Amino acid sequence: MQQTNTPTKPEAQDANTGFKREIKLFDAIMIVTGGMIGSGIFIVTADIARIMVSPGYMLLVWVLSGFLTMVGAISYGELSSIFPNVGGQYVYLKEAYNKMVAFLYGWTLFLVIQTGVIAAVGVAFARFTGVIFPWFSEDNVLATIAGFNFTSVQLLAILSILFLTYINSRGVKSGKLIQNIFGSTKLIALFGLILFGFLLGVNDTAIEANFSNFWGTTTSTAGTDLMPPVGWALFAAAGIAMVGALFSADSWNNIGFSGDEIVNPKRTIVLSMVIGSAIVMGLYLIINLVYLMVLPMNGNPNGTDVMSQGITHANNDRVATAVAEVIGGYPATVAIAILIMISTFGCNNGAILSGARVYYAIAKDGLFFKSLGDLNKNGVPAAALWLQCIWACLLCLSGTYGDLLDYVVFAVMLFYILTIVGVFVLRVRKPDLPRPYKTFGYPVLPAMYVILASAICVTLLIYKPTFTWPGFIIVGLGIPVYYFFGSRFNSSKE
């Protein structure tokens, strides 16, 4: 891994771009870990457990998801070392293929992926705030207009998005400060959850239920014997289950969006992606092990307490909350709610900070509103930040962001595959490009990613068609938009 001889000094403003290089390695790692850890790890295990049935296969899903995430980070590292510029994945796709492919990614990112995540995480923040302050509830309707209910949860979600957008509009230093505080706090809190889980939560009932037949038939707390899928059904189930795990770990690539704001980006981006992804996936695996040592995996849907409900039927799929109740009752449940509030708040800050840089890069290419390609006096793309904010707030109001995210699961995986194939494409088309970092394990590891991710896409195409074809439509809608903006700003540089 090559380090430049004259790294840009922190806080120096680049004369060519206007951005300020203020993000150091620690800041970058906090952006990666903070963006990855939202509310998913506290919830999705319930659905994965229902699909996989066996504790061993459930953990295997997390292991495979961690492997794919790490290989993705390792592979993206080569691209980020070649093109350490604002826009990240948009730039990689443009250089490997063309502007249209890159725009379709940016279009989907703006329309649903990034803004949908911001909206969904904002609502999750508000919902868990309601555990401590019951006024924030989806039953607390503040206004009804044309049959549409506006709740206190939506109000808090929107206010949190507005606040974080304002903070980030004041400069990258303000954004990274929030990320460092909340990112480090949530990591410490997750370590605390793991520690207390092992020390105070382990019980013989869960150990017997989950580890007596780790890979085979297990007995639910309702007394029903459950057999895990076998053969092709096991492969298909794993592919479907991995979607939840992979998207609980998503956003590991977002640090690349801020390339021109990073100190020594050719080294820092790849290191932060790899280190951050390794920390998060390691924590995720251990937390799931804690879940299995505290709660029986297969519970009773009609259970009246957390032990009988188990992991599969935890109330509202809130597995972490159920574990906390076993460990320390109501006070521990409140502590978990605070942890998730911190987690979602920090996650949204990272998403807001990074996403706007992609829209800035698209606008600089003449493919989006021209004003989005301008920086304010603080050296950040304020117009892009506020447009992202407005759309995310509208998604909060619509209540449809969850459906939209489901629809683009396939499209997101497709863009990941295309980007990693881009490593191969650029090795062939532009072999002489300086590569300060080359993908570890090339060509085997990136090829394994492409094969496994493609298999997941095929599985979703077969078994979840209602969530795949709409993704194609959303991406496809970007084609006429691309030509519309291209015709308006055809004087932009190629």
Side-chain angles (χ1 to χ4, degrees), residues 338-415:
I338 294 173
L339 167 57
I340 297 175
M341 287 170 60
I342 292 170
S343 180
T344 49
F345 195 79
C347 178
N348 247 3
N349 182 72
I352 289 168
L353 183 153
S354 57
R357 275 62 179 173
V358 179
Y359 321 137
Y360 167 88
I362 300 172
K364 294 298 284 186
D365 280 343
L367 297 173
F368 217 172
F369 300 111
K370 188 176 180 180
S371 61
L372 301 185
D374 296 330
L375 302 180
N376 67 4
K377 64 180 181 180
N378 299 314
V380 296
L385 279 165
W386 285 111
L387 181 63
Q388 173 183 255
C389 173
I390 292 168
W391 186 244
C393 289
L394 288 174
L395 290 180
C396 284
L397 291 173
S398 72
T400 61
Y401 48 83
D403 292 336
L404 290 171
L405 285 173
D406 284 337
Y407 291 153
V408 297
V409 165
F410 183 85
V412 172
M413 293 297 297
L414 186 63
F415 283 119

Side-chain angles (χ1 to χ4, degrees), residues 79 90 100 145 151 165 209 241 296 305 323 348 363 449 461 469 493:
L79 299 172
Y90 167 81
M100 178 185 281
I145 302 174
T151 69
T165 299
D305 60 84
V323 167
N348 247 3
Y449 183 99
L461 202 59
W469 293 108
K493 294 181 180 180

Side-chain angles (χ1 to χ4, degrees), residues 42 128 131-132 189-190 192-194 291 318-325 327 329-343:
F42 307 107
F128 280 95
V131 174
I132 302 170
L190 284 175
L193 173 62
I194 290 170
Y291 292 164
R318 295 174 184 172
V319 181
T321 304
V323 167
E325 186 175 335
I327 294 173
Y330 180 72
T333 302
V334 172
I336 283 293
I338 294 173
L339 167 57
I340 297 175
M341 287 170 60
I342 292 170
S343 180

Side-chain angles (χ1 to χ4, degrees), residues 210-356:
N210 296 329
F211 294 92
S212 60
N213 197 359
F214 195 58
W215 298 97
T217 300
T218 56
T219 303
S220 72
T221 57
T224 305
D225 288 338
L226 301 172
M227 180 181 295
V230 294
W232 171 257
L234 175 60
F235 178 83
I240 294 170
M242 282 179 66
V243 170
L246 286 171
F247 282 88
S248 292
D250 199 21
S251 299
W252 51 266
N253 63 318
N254 282 6
I255 185 61
F257 296 167
S258 303
D260 289 320
E261 297 168 291
I262 297 173
V263 178
N264 198 4
K266 294 182 179 181
R267 176 177 182 272
T268 300
I269 295 176
V270 61
L271 275 178
S272 61
M273 284 195 296
V274 172
I275 294 172
S277 297
I279 291 171
V280 172
M281 296 315 298
L283 282 173
Y284 281 7
L285 189 60
I286 297 171
I287 286 172
N288 277 279
L289 187 60
V290 170
Y291 292 164
L292 289 172
M293 298 182 76
V294 175
L295 292 174
M297 177 166 158
N298 293 300
N300 182 353
N302 299 315
T304 56
D305 60 84
V306 292
M307 288 301 293
S308 63
Q309 290 167 346
I311 293 174
T312 53
H313 298 289
N315 187 30
N316 293 319
D317 285 354
R318 295 174 184 172
V319 181
T321 304
V323 167
E325 186 175 335
V326 172
I327 294 173
Y330 180 72
T333 302
V334 172
I336 283 293
I338 294 173
L339 167 57
I340 297 175
M341 287 170 60
I342 292 170
S343 180
T344 49
F345 195 79
C347 178
N348 247 3
N349 182 72
I352 289 168
L353 183 153
S354 57

